[in-house]
């Protein structure tokens, strides 16, 4: 079966939603191809069951770098914690080893401002209302105020939150303003056709456009043809598709798959003293709603409290008091204590671009390739941990050592970085020897083939990246609409 349209958008996450909507609004016949399923609130579960989460969230990486992804209608947005932050200027000013700016000239926080504003309006982003800030966030703000530091409420894409606290496993109340509740229904209302459960396997040029070999939700092969094709499969999906299609796309940049970066992150757990106000880690949105920017200038990090649920806390942090067991009565008492007194602080900033995606046996694998950069990031984390320990000590808190392990139960090396804030693999750069797409998002040497997702961002954003990915996708979408008009 051959399906023709004006434009095909591959992937329905933050990178794909904006071009799908804006092209459909402009009157183009748009097909959105998404390999994951629709997950309406009725399909979500309030659970910490790892089997449910593993059905939808995938990990990829090696012993040094690990990334998390989701394959769903709406990309990772049905699973995200709704933190919608503009990236700080320092993230755009990052340079490579030769001192060259990683972000193309003309792309920074200021030039992205109108696109950030459009993304915020369409998603419905607003700082969490004061009376909605969970207790853990309030206590963090109290601690900061006592130390002369400013607290800011986190801008979040949420409406009608019931405080159920299971944002990680999807919102059963439909309160998340995720893409499947904002951009994507609007695109469908404007005429876009969604092929949910379908996967694109290869791209090749044809007269007047591109031909895509795909399989439909039932596994049957289909062919899609369009003059305009937008790759938005994310850091892994878009690079893997280009690597598989390399022979058909002469002149493709040699950098496809390279320069993958993650935010750097340090986590420290403090136990607040008995006379401090109590937190509540098991109630309210999983994001505590308060962040401080005061540490950005002196230390290159933002800081906020996490609210992990008990299983996640034990699975990822293994925070135990020395000599105590992680089961039975001791463990129950510890969990109660952690719930009311535990302040788990996360420091985050732009990390190294130290990993690379390759195809092995036709499947994408992620490998760490820049060990020195990974070691520099480990040094930075140690410094951040020192800053957080000082903050906690000044608040009279006792620091509990965390012993994070990987899924096989092995201790992680000091140089390990693992999170969902991943960018790169099809970087923007005006020079095809250094990047896959130009500033406009068009693949070098292949007019009509665009990339608009996280893979185009040349280095990590420091803060949670979704709003920057969406703003950049809005900017690229405007250019595509202009080009095809
Ligand atoms: C659990 C989790 C929580 C997060 N929380 C936050 C947060 O609170 N704030 C924040 O800013 N960021 C958060 N992030 C990060 C953020 O969600 C990602 O950075 C963002 O989703 C990346 O957008 P994208 O469009 O590049 O890719 P994605 O959102 O990953 O979308 C890509 C889509 O393309 C589809 N696809 C890929 N290849 C193909 C193909 N060949 N054919 C068809 N479909 C394909 C995939 O199935 C996927 O649905 C979180 C991420 C995760 C996983
Ligand atoms: S805390 Fe709010 S957004 Fe999160 S799952 Fe519950 S209702 Fe949904």
């Amino acid at each position: 079966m051959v399906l023709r349209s004006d434009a095909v958008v591959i992937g329905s996450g933050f990178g794909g939603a904006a071009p799908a909507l804006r092209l459909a609004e402009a009157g183009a016949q748009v097909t959105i191809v998404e390999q994951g399923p629709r997950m309406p609130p009725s399909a979500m579960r309030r659970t910490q069951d790892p089997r449910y989460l593993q059905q939808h969230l995938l990990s990829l990486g090696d012993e040094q770098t690990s990334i998390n992804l989701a394959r769903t209608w709406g990309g990772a947005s049905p699973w995200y914690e709704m933190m919608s932050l503009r990236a700080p200027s320092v993230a755009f000013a990052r340079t490579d080893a030769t001192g060259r700016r990683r972000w193309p000239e003309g792309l920074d926080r200021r030039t992205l401002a109108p696109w950030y504003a459009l993304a915020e309006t369409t998603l419905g982003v607003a700082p969490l209302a004061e009376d909605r800030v969970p207790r853990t966030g309030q206590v963090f703000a109290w601690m900061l105020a006592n130390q002369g530091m400013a607290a800011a409420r986190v801008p979040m894409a949420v409406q009608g939150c019931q405080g159920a606290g299971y944002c990680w496993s999807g919102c059963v109340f439909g309160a998340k303003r995720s893409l499947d509740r904002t951009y994507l229904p609007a695109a469908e209302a404007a005429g876009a056709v969604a092929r949910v459960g379908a996967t694109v396997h290869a791209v090749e040029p044809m007269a007047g456009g591109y031909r895509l070999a795909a399989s439909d939700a039932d596994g049957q092969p289909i062919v899609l043809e369009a003059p305009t094709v937008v790759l938005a499969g994310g850091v892994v999906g878009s690079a893997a598709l280009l690597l598989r299609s390399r022979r058909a796309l002469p002149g493709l940049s040699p950098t496809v798959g390279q320069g993958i970066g993650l935010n750097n992150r340090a986590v420290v757990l403090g136990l607040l003293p008995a006379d401090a106000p109590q937190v509540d880690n098991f109630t309210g949105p999983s994001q505590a709603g308060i962040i401080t920017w005061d540490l950005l200038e002196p230390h290159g990090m933002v800081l906020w409290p996490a609210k992990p649920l008990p299983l996640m806390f034990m699975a990822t942090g293994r925070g135990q008091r020395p000599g105590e067991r992680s089961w039975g009565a001791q463990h129950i008492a510890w969990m109660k204590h952690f719930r009311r007194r535990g302040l788990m602080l996360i420091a985050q900033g732009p990390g190294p671009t130290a990993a690379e995606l390759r195809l092995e046996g036709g499947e994408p694998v992620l490998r760490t390739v820049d060990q020195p950069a990974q070691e520099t990031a480990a040094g930075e984390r140690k410094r951040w941990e020192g800053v957080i320990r000082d903050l906690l000590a000044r608040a009279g808190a006792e620091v509990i050592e965390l012993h994070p392990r990987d899924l096989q139960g092995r201790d992680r090396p000091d140089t390990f970085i693992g999170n969902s804030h991943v960018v790169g693999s099809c970087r923007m750069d005006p020079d095809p020897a250094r990047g896959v797409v130009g500033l406009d998002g068009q693949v070098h040497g292949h007019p009509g083939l665009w990339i608009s997702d996280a893979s185009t961002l040349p280095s990590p954003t420091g803060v949670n990246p979704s709003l920057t990915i969406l703003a950049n996708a809005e900017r690229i979408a405007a250019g595509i609409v202009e080009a095809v008009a």
Side-chain angles (χ1 to χ4, degrees):
M1 181 169 42
V2 179
L3 302 162
R4 293 190 180 85
S5 42
D6 296 331
V8 176
V9 178
I10 305 167
S12 62
F14 289 94
L21 174 58
R22 303 307 171 199
L23 278 161
E25 281 177 340
Q29 283 179 313
V30 179
T31 303
I32 311 169
V33 187
E34 169 53 59
Q35 65 187 0
R38 287 186 197 263
M39 287 294 289
S42 58
M44 296 297 191
R45 285 174 54 198
R46 290 162 70 179
T47 181
Q48 296 178 68
D49 185 345
R51 287 165 302 184
Y52 163 83
L53 293 171
Q54 282 163 7
Q55 260 175 16
H56 302 287
L57 304 177
L58 322 165
S59 292
L60 201 68
D62 59 17
E63 284 176 7
Q64 307 277 322
T65 312
S66 170
I67 63 173
N68 307 318
L69 311 160
R71 288 182 181 152
T72 322
W73 176 241
S77 73
W79 311 98
Y80 83 146
E81 288 185 289
M82 308 160 292
M83 280 181 93
S84 306
L85 297 157
R86 296 188 183 196
S89 300
V90 286
F92 297 97
R94 302 261 292 182
T95 52
D96 64 17
T98 67
R100 187 174 181 268
R101 198 171 174 266
R102 287 186 183 273
W103 288 73
E105 213 48 58
L107 194 58
D108 53 32
R109 181 178 162 109
R110 191 182 55 80
T111 51
L112 269 182
W115 308 110
Y116 272 129
L118 179 59
E120 285 160 346
T121 307
T122 315
L123 276 185
V125 171
L128 197 61
E130 216 163 321
D131 59 353
R132 291 274 164 186
V133 173
R135 285 199 62 81
T136 303
Q138 292 174 23
V139 172
F140 180 56
W142 163 85
M143 188 185 108
L144 291 172
N146 283 346
Q147 303 194 23
M149 291 169 66
R153 277 178 287 136
V154 173
M156 287 172 71
V158 65
Q159 206 169 53
C161 174
Q162 306 293 312
Y166 282 81
C167 310
W168 271 77
S169 63
C171 184
V172 299
F173 297 102
K176 275 190 199 180
R177 300 275 299 158
S178 43
L179 300 166
D180 54 323
R181 304 188 67 75
T182 51
Y183 274 80
L184 297 170
E188 289 186 285
V193 173
R195 297 200 83 87
V196 179
T199 306
V200 175
H201 304 294
V203 185
E204 62 170 346
M206 55 176 270
Y210 293 87
R211 181 177 294 120
L212 310 176
S215 49
D216 220 345
D218 56 7
Q220 291 303 310
I222 50 170
V223 172
L224 299 116
E225 293 180 353
T228 299
V229 169
V230 185
L231 304 191
V235 167
V236 173
S238 291
L241 195 50
L242 286 184
L243 290 171
R244 286 195 188 106
S245 311
R246 177 162 253 161
R247 255 185 272 168
L249 297 170
L252 196 61
S253 170
T255 65
V256 176
Q258 296 175 6
I260 294 176
L262 278 78
N263 279 337
N264 200 11
R265 211 176 246 196
V267 184
V268 180
L269 171 63
L271 270 192
L272 292 166
D275 58 354
Q278 291 195 346
V279 301
D280 184 351
N281 286 324
F282 300 163
T283 318
S286 63
Q287 221 300 314
I290 296 288
I291 189 169
T292 182
W293 298 91
D294 277 13
L295 298 166
L296 191 58
E297 185 78 21
H299 300 295
M301 72 195 218
V302 290
L303 188 69
W304 76 82
K307 281 180 67 249
L309 291 169
L311 261 183
M312 286 162 54
F313 172 56
M314 289 313 290
T316 58
R318 314 259 165 155
Q320 274 164 258
R321 279 196 291 209
E324 284 193 359
R325 292 184 170 146
S326 57
W327 67 87
Q330 267 184 348
H331 181 61
I332 293 169
W334 164 229
M335 278 295 125
K336 285 184 180 161
H337 208 61
F338 167 71
R339 173 179 189 168
R340 301 292 180 195
R341 301 249 162 252
L343 193 59
M344 185 184 252
L345 296 180
I346 298 194
Q348 193 175 272
T353 47
E356 183 174 297
L357 190 93
R358 302 174 197 149
L359 291 182
E360 287 181 11
E363 292 305 315
V365 293
L366 190 88
R367 297 273 180 257
T368 307
V369 289
D370 189 344
Q371 193 61 28
Q374 209 80 348
E375 281 161 17
T376 305
E380 184 169 55
R381 282 200 297 283
K382 277 271 164 276
R383 279 195 300 282
W384 290 350
E385 280 171 18
V387 173
I388 309 175
R389 280 168 187 266
D390 286 349
L391 279 178
L392 287 167
R394 283 200 290 273
E398 173 197 353
V399 170
I400 301 288
E401 296 303 328
L402 299 172
H403 303 283
R405 292 181 202 150
D406 66 17
L407 292 176
Q408 281 75 41
R410 294 171 302 205
D411 286 337
R412 288 173 178 169
D414 285 348
T415 45
F416 176 85
I417 301 183
N419 56 65
S420 317
H421 298 172
V422 55
V423 301
S425 84
C426 299
R427 288 197 310 267
M428 266 182 287
D429 196 297
D431 179 357
R434 294 171 182 265
V436 180
V437 297
L439 181 59
D440 60 358
Q442 200 157 196
V443 176
H444 288 301
H446 295 280
L449 185 60
W450 310 76
I451 311 181
S452 58
D453 56 24
S455 71
T456 63
L457 303 195
S459 66
T461 51
V463 297
N464 310 45
S466 63
L467 197 72
T468 303
I469 299 165
L470 187 58
N472 188 51
E474 285 280 17
R475 182 186 69 81
I476 290 173
I480 303 175
V481 168
E482 204 178 299
V484 302

